Amino acid sequence: MLYRRFPARILIAVVIATTFVTVPFSGLAQQASPVAPNRAQVEAVVKEAYDKFRSDTSGKNADYIPFLAQVDSKMFGVAVVSTDNQVFSMGEIKYAFSIQSISKVYTLALAMEELGAARVFDRIGSEPTGRPFNSVPAVVDMTTHTGNPYVNAGAIATTSLIAGKDANEKWNKILDFYSKAAGEKLTLIDEVYKSEAATNAGNKALSMLLAKYERIYAEPFESVDIYTKQCSVGVNVVQLARMGATLANNGKNPASGEQVIKPENVPYILSSMMMAGLYDGSGGWAWKVGLPAKSGVGGGIVAVVPGKGAIAVFSPRLDEAGNSVKAQRVIEYVANKLDFNLFSPRSVGLKGE
Ligand code: DON
């Protein structure tokens, strides 16, 4: 009998050994990337960063969206997903926070899938505003009026580019696209949507101003409503890191293997993240970190390391520009320790003196 030849202790040992050998990371890994980071190094550095910044209480929750003011500001989660689908995460990894402005990246990607990059560039632009994300003067002053796809005005205009027979069809397309980038079905957080929809007169004003300049491409308030829904999509920090890793992996989700975004569109998305992903904090971010990233007032930031992977951090306390303080610190620390800064020759292995 089998159990006589293989006593329980040996069987258990075999099962454990096989588990570690065959599922060392997250299971569905695609073919190993030649530049994916070393797991042990990433783990060690992320743990260091987590411990170093966990008790940092700088900044405060967004409060202009009433729901966000109530979110537990102590929550803190970090996730790294590599282009070969290694997953490493720490802290609060289950809580679904609202994606907020990080959604703008993926609506831009969808608009480019539908219209091509040139038309989207023509209708939206990619100039940093140097102003807060909800600035009215920026819409008036900038020659494009829309600025770039990541400030509210440019993002609402980008959402208005998504085709569909009605608002529902457009919204469902957007949600499906985000889900493909995350590799999991994402859903709307209804309380966030209601809270934001009840307080978004500023975004409605931006949409009307865009209409005056003929820089919105569907009915303005319908576009604001779809935009408000896209901002209210819930993601946990691992899902967000995987959305980033999809960009790092040339538009192909490293878990599902699906080509979600055309590879030729990825540099446009990432370069605009570098220029404007953290709004009027983007210049300081580029100086210190050198990675394309996008923040949301829900407390998430995702930074993309092209070819290697993405790091996402969730911590609700924000700085004046609306960017999570702790997320910036953690990503800066990890990027410096692991030589991720794209402007450094060290990022491609040239160590120098
Ligand atoms: O429209 C708004 O103001 C929010 N739904 C999104 C703003 C945001 O996330 C800015 N990011 N840091």
Side-chain angles (χ1 to χ4, degrees):
M1 302 261 303
L2 186 67
Y3 67 84
R4 285 223 176 110
R5 274 187 277 139
F6 292 97
R9 263 178 315 172
I10 296 179
L11 268 178
I12 291 166
V14 169
V15 169
I16 291 173
T18 325
T19 307
F20 280 124
V21 171
T22 56
V23 195
F25 306 128
S26 62
L28 287 167
Q30 63 169 42
Q31 196 181 8
S33 157
V35 291
N38 172 288
R39 183 183 174 92
Q41 263 180 329
V42 172
E43 262 186 31
V45 172
V46 170
K47 276 187 185 137
E48 267 170 45
Y50 189 87
D51 292 338
K52 188 172 165 65
F53 297 110
R54 69 190 306 172
S55 47
D56 189 328
T57 57
S58 337
K60 67 180 190 60
N61 284 33
D63 55 9
Y64 74 100
I65 299 170
F67 182 92
L68 296 181
Q70 309 303 322
V71 170
D72 178 1
S73 50
K74 292 191 292 304
M75 285 193 286
F76 177 33
V78 183
V80 175
V81 176
S82 67
T83 47
D84 57 357
N85 199 35
Q86 299 178 61
V87 180
F88 179 64
S89 56
M90 284 196 76
E92 180 53 74
I93 57 171
K94 295 247 157 71
Y95 180 78
F97 51 95
S98 54
I99 190 168
Q100 295 295 343
S101 285
I102 306 167
S103 67
K104 296 165 178 173
V105 173
Y106 297 90
T107 300
L108 169 67
L110 177 58
M112 287 198 286
E113 292 296 308
E114 293 194 344
L115 291 171
R119 284 203 198 95
V120 174
F121 183 77
D122 185 51
R123 285 163 176 72
I124 309 296
S126 187
E127 290 309 319
T129 66
R131 301 265 179 87
F133 60 82
N134 50 6
S135 172
V136 171
V139 179
V140 177
D141 294 347
M142 295 193 76
T143 49
T144 61
H145 305 293
T146 36
N148 65 68
Y150 300 146
V151 288
N152 288 10
I156 294 164
T158 307
T159 300
S160 79
L161 291 173
I162 305 302
K165 69 175 185 315
D166 56 24
N168 217 30
E169 186 175 296
K170 295 176 190 179
W171 156 239
N172 282 317
K173 261 165 73 177
I174 290 172
L175 184 62
D176 280 356
F177 190 76
Y178 293 4
S179 299
K180 283 183 189 161
E184 284 172 53
K185 182 102 198 72
L186 301 178
T187 53
L188 179 83
I189 309 173
D190 205 45
E191 290 162 288
V192 175
Y193 168 63
K194 289 200 175 104
S195 178
E196 189 160 344
T199 52
N200 66 354
N203 284 336
K204 287 182 181 152
L206 290 174
S207 76
M208 290 313 289
L209 205 47
L210 290 170
K212 165 181 146 85
Y213 295 115
E214 298 181 2
R215 293 289 282 178
I216 190 159
Y217 311 101
E219 202 286 310
F221 286 4
E222 175 194 279
S223 303
V224 171
D225 188 52
I226 299 171
Y227 161 85
T228 305
K229 283 188 175 142
Q230 76 177 47
C231 290
S232 308
V233 169
V235 282
N236 64 42
V237 78
V238 178
Q239 291 166 333
L240 182 58
R242 192 169 281 110
M243 290 176 88
T246 296
L247 286 165
N249 195 36
N250 239 350
K252 185 193 263 193
N253 184 310
S256 68
E258 185 175 2
Q259 188 72 48
V260 183
I261 299 166
K262 285 193 190 78
E264 63 264 33
N265 290 338
V266 170
Y268 303 122
I269 299 166
L270 296 183
S271 62
S272 46
M273 285 167 80
M274 181 63 89
M275 300 304 290
L278 271 70
Y279 311 108
D280 39 337
S282 300
W285 176 261
W287 176 281
K288 287 188 275 191
V289 187
L291 285 178
K294 187 72 206 78
S295 63
V297 286
I301 298 187
V302 62
V304 177
V305 195
K308 297 179 181 170
I311 174 166
V313 182
F314 165 57
S315 168
R317 292 194 181 98
L318 311 178
D319 66 12
E320 290 292 308
N323 304 315
S324 166
V325 178
K326 215 184 300 206
Q328 291 178 78
R329 292 185 179 153
V330 168
I331 297 170
E332 179 182 352
Y333 184 91
V334 172
N336 286 337
K337 285 268 173 161
L338 294 176
D339 286 334
F340 282 161
N341 187 326
L342 295 183
F343 299 104
S344 169
R346 295 173 70 91
S347 68
V348 289
L350 192 59
K351 298 290 179 200
E353 293 298 304

